[in-house]
């Protein structure tokens, strides 16, 4: 397979633009607003795929919306760069045609045409499509049909259908822009509105004689069609798990802070901040879950503003970064490793304090402790170590 071409270049004409069709009525999903404006995982459905396209470097993005929904669409896409709205048509194909015309003045080389109703858009699919466009005018993501297929009428099995060579077709569908524009214009002229409407753009391309390549789709690209799809917590968006580890030296004359709780002990932990080793491990776990570096990147020990700082602030900041990444903390689990002090009597207070800082219910916060049987650094009482695991899920 060819390497993926760059998504955008410094040249004047956009390399890859996108159309997101969001002008349907969402009749099968029902609800008080068309499904593309319904909130799913914390954001309007349409915002998910537009954000993903922006993240892939695609610009501009033309979003086709239904008449009368300008304000809802503006709110749903507020603050996103390079997004333009156009009024859609009475069928999906008409909506695409109108959006294609909106790109004419600043014609891109390639265009990705995507359903707003498919909120999860893995970048790997975009790369596969654009790589295919090196050789053909069109490319679509497909998945093989794995179940057997039959034709049926009135609830009765009618005839078997040969499954070999059948595929399920998804979006985005990718095309050389001038070719798909001409194909849509030709479709309108040829059918005069009389023929059966095209269900997707590959059908329009095919009618114009354009070759269309099949590239691997992704189950995550499933379309929201029915109300139950909107309620589904799992559109193949997976939880992420991060881990953290830290050690600090035990010395006389320092306070001992663990999980944001001050503990009476003859020694405390040494470090630049308050040296709360358990919170430091937990911060690294949270940062790891969102792939946002480590605690040193965010709070460099060389920066005097963190000298003696309460580690609560680091933890609260990590929680904010998780929220800003569009995710939520599902669960955290901390293990403190030391011979002394005894952690057991403090575990409940530690859980409560971590839950408070993270604004989580207590049953999503775990604090455990163990010794190393007097072996090694912690066994000799030279320091305290901590490990943490954090799970985050899309909101
Ligand atoms: N679409 C569009 N313009 C139309 C019809 C559909 O832009 N006139 C868009 C939808 O908003 C959706 C995509 O095409 O993002 C796929 O269509 P579908 O899932 O059928 O959505 P709806 O037509 O809105 O739903 P329904 O058929 O249940 O009414
Ligand atoms: Mg429809």
């Amino acid at each position: 397979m060819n390497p993926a071409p760059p998504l955008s270049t410094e040249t004047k004409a956009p390399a890859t633009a996108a159309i997101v069709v969001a002008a349907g009525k969402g009749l099968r999903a029902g609800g008080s607003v068309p499904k593309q404006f319904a909130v799913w995982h914390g954001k309007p459905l349409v915002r998910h795929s537009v954000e993903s396209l922006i993240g892939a470097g695609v610009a501009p993005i033309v979003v086709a919306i239904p008449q009368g929904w300008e304000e809802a669409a503006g709110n749903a896409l507020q603050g996103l760069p390079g997004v333009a709205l156009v009024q859609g048509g009475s069928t999906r194909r008409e909506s695409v045609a109108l959006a294609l015309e909106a790109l004419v003045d600043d014609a891109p080389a390639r265009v990705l045409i995507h359903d707003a109703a498919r909120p999860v858009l893995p970048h790997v699919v975009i790369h596969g499509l654009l790589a295919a466009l090196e050789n053909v005018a069109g490319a679509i993501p497909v998945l093989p049909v794995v179940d057997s297929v039959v034709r049926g009428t009135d609830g009765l099995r009618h005839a078997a259908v040969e499954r070999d060579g059948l595929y399920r077709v998804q979006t985005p569908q990718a095309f050389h822009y001038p070719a798909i524009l001409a194909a849509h214009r030709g479709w309108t002229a040829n059918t005069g509105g009389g023929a059966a409407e095209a269900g997707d753009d590959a059908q329009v391309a095919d009618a114009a004689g354009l070759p269309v390549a099949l590239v691997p789709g992704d189950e995550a690209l499933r379309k929201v069609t029915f109300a139950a799809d909107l309620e589904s917590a799992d559109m193949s968006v997976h939880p992420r798990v991060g881990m953290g580890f830290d050690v600090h030296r035990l010395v006389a004359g320092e306070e001992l802070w663990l999980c944001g709780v001050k503990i009476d002990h003859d020694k405390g932990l040494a470090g630049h901040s308050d040296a709360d080793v358990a919170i430091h491990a937990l911060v690294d776990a949270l940062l790891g879950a969102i792939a946002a570096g480590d605690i040193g990147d965010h709070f460099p020990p060389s920066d005097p503003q963190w000298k003696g700082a309460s580690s609560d602030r680091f933890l609260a900041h990590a929680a904010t970064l998780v929220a800003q990444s569009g995710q939520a903390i599902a669960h955290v689990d901390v293990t403190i490793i030391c011979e002394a002090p005894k952690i057991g009597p403090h575990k409940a207070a530690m859980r409560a304090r971590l839950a408070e800082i993270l604004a989580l219910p207590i049953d999503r916060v775990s604090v455990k402790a163990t010794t190393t049987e007097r072996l090694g650094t912690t066994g000799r009482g030279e320091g305290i170590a901590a490990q943490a695991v954090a799970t985050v899920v899309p909101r």
Side-chain angles (χ1 to χ4, degrees), residues 211-222:
V212 177
L214 305 182
V215 309
D218 196 308
E219 290 291 354
L221 270 167
R222 243 176 321 164

Side-chain angles (χ1 to χ4, degrees), residues 20 27 227 346:
V20 175
L27 295 178
H346 305 286

Side-chain angles (χ1 to χ4, degrees), residues 31-175:
S32 54
V33 296
K35 63 188 178 188
Q36 58 271 36
F37 302 124
V39 173
W40 181 79
H41 284 275
K43 295 179 233 180
L45 203 63
V46 61
R47 191 174 177 103
H48 288 268
S49 50
V50 173
E51 283 184 350
S52 183
L53 287 161
I54 291 171
V58 174
I61 300 170
V62 176
V63 182
I65 59 164
Q67 188 179 13
W69 289 90
E70 294 75 12
E71 195 181 334
N75 290 338
L77 300 169
Q78 197 173 20
L80 298 181
V83 175
L85 303 181
V86 296
Q87 196 174 306
S90 58
T91 65
R92 182 191 182 282
R93 195 205 57 76
E94 278 178 27
S95 297
V96 173
L98 290 162
L100 283 168
E101 296 293 345
L103 286 166
V104 163
D105 287 342
D106 196 14
R110 302 175 288 254
V111 64
L112 293 161
I113 305 174
H114 187 54
D115 291 337
R118 298 178 193 268
V120 184
L121 173 43
H123 285 182
V124 64
V125 176
I126 296 178
H127 291 133
L129 290 164
L130 295 182
L133 286 195
E134 296 284 287
N135 302 312
V136 282
I140 61 174
V142 296
L143 289 173
V145 174
V146 292
D147 297 315
S148 54
V149 181
V150 292
R151 207 175 285 284
T153 351
D154 300 330
L156 282 178
R157 184 183 184 283
H158 197 57
V161 176
E162 178 56 53
R163 185 180 57 199
D164 278 1
L166 289 187
Y167 295 93
R168 292 183 284 145
V169 177
Q170 303 181 314
T171 77
Q173 301 188 346
F175 302 94

Side-chain angles (χ1 to χ4, degrees), residues 3-391:
L7 296 184
S8 58
T9 67
E10 294 300 311
T11 56
K12 237 177 104 220
T16 305
I19 288 168
V20 175
V21 280
K25 292 191 169 76
L27 295 178
R28 284 169 291 176
S32 54
V33 296
K35 63 188 178 188
Q36 58 271 36
F37 302 124
V39 173
W40 181 79
H41 284 275
K43 295 179 233 180
L45 203 63
V46 61
R47 191 174 177 103
H48 288 268
S49 50
V50 173
E51 283 184 350
S52 183
L53 287 161
I54 291 171
V58 174
I61 300 170
V62 176
V63 182
I65 59 164
Q67 188 179 13
W69 289 90
E70 294 75 12
E71 195 181 334
N75 290 338
L77 300 169
Q78 197 173 20
L80 298 181
V83 175
L85 303 181
V86 296
Q87 196 174 306
S90 58
T91 65
R92 182 191 182 282
R93 195 205 57 76
E94 278 178 27
S95 297
V96 173
L98 290 162
L100 283 168
E101 296 293 345
L103 286 166
V104 163
D105 287 342
D106 196 14
R110 302 175 288 254
V111 64
L112 293 161
I113 305 174
H114 187 54
D115 291 337
R118 298 178 193 268
V120 184
L121 173 43
H123 285 182
V124 64
V125 176
I126 296 178
H127 291 133
L129 290 164
L130 295 182
L133 286 195
E134 296 284 287
N135 302 312
V136 282
I140 61 174
V142 296
L143 289 173
V145 174
V146 292
D147 297 315
S148 54
V149 181
V150 292
R151 207 175 285 284
T153 351
D154 300 330
L156 282 178
R157 184 183 184 283
H158 197 57
V161 176
E162 178 56 53
R163 185 180 57 199
D164 278 1
L166 289 187
Y167 295 93
R168 292 183 284 145
V169 177
Q170 303 181 314
T171 77
Q173 301 188 346
F175 302 94
H176 295 170
Y177 173 76
I180 195 67
L181 177 68
H184 267 271
R185 286 176 174 173
W187 178 280
T188 313
N190 292 338
T191 63
E197 187 55 294
D200 70 351
D201 302 287
Q203 203 179 325
V204 178
D206 193 49
L210 296 177
V212 177
L214 305 182
V215 309
D218 196 308
E219 290 291 354
L221 270 167
R222 243 176 321 164
K223 183 159 74 74
V224 168
T225 304
F226 302 103
D229 299 332
L230 274 172
E231 283 155 22
S232 140
D234 173 23
M235 282 279 286
S236 300
V237 279
H238 301 295
R240 296 174 183 200
V241 176
M243 61 168 288
F245 176 74
D246 197 19
V247 185
H248 279 274
R249 265 185 313 117
L250 269 172
V251 294
E254 291 278 357
E255 292 181 345
L256 178 59
W257 287 86
L258 289 171
C259 293
V261 174
K262 187 165 177 241
I263 294 172
D264 277 340
H265 192 50
D266 58 350
K267 290 179 181 170
L269 292 173
H272 193 67
S273 64
D274 65 9
D276 187 329
V277 68
I279 285 192
H280 293 185
L282 182 51
V283 169
D284 263 358
L286 289 168
L287 295 174
I290 58 169
D294 62 30
I295 192 167
D297 296 330
H298 295 270
F299 311 101
S302 54
D303 188 337
Q305 69 167 309
W306 307 123
K307 187 165 168 45
S310 158
S311 295
D312 307 17
R313 287 167 63 193
F314 304 161
L315 188 55
H317 182 68
T320 303
L321 291 176
V322 172
Q324 284 172 355
S325 76
Q327 298 174 86
I329 302 168
H331 180 256
V332 298
D333 182 19
V334 178
T335 301
I336 299 169
I337 307 163
C338 62
E339 300 292 331
K342 288 262 169 286
I343 301 300
H346 305 286
K347 279 199 295 201
M350 290 175 171
R351 286 180 73 194
R353 181 68 190 123
L354 292 181
E356 186 184 15
I357 301 167
L358 295 170
L360 283 179
I362 192 98
D363 65 345
R364 290 167 179 260
V365 178
S366 159
V367 174
K368 317 197 297 295
T370 189
T371 69
T372 48
E373 298 286 335
R374 304 236 162 92
L375 296 170
T377 311
T378 56
R380 290 188 296 271
E382 293 164 9
I384 297 181
Q387 293 179 331
V389 174
T391 306

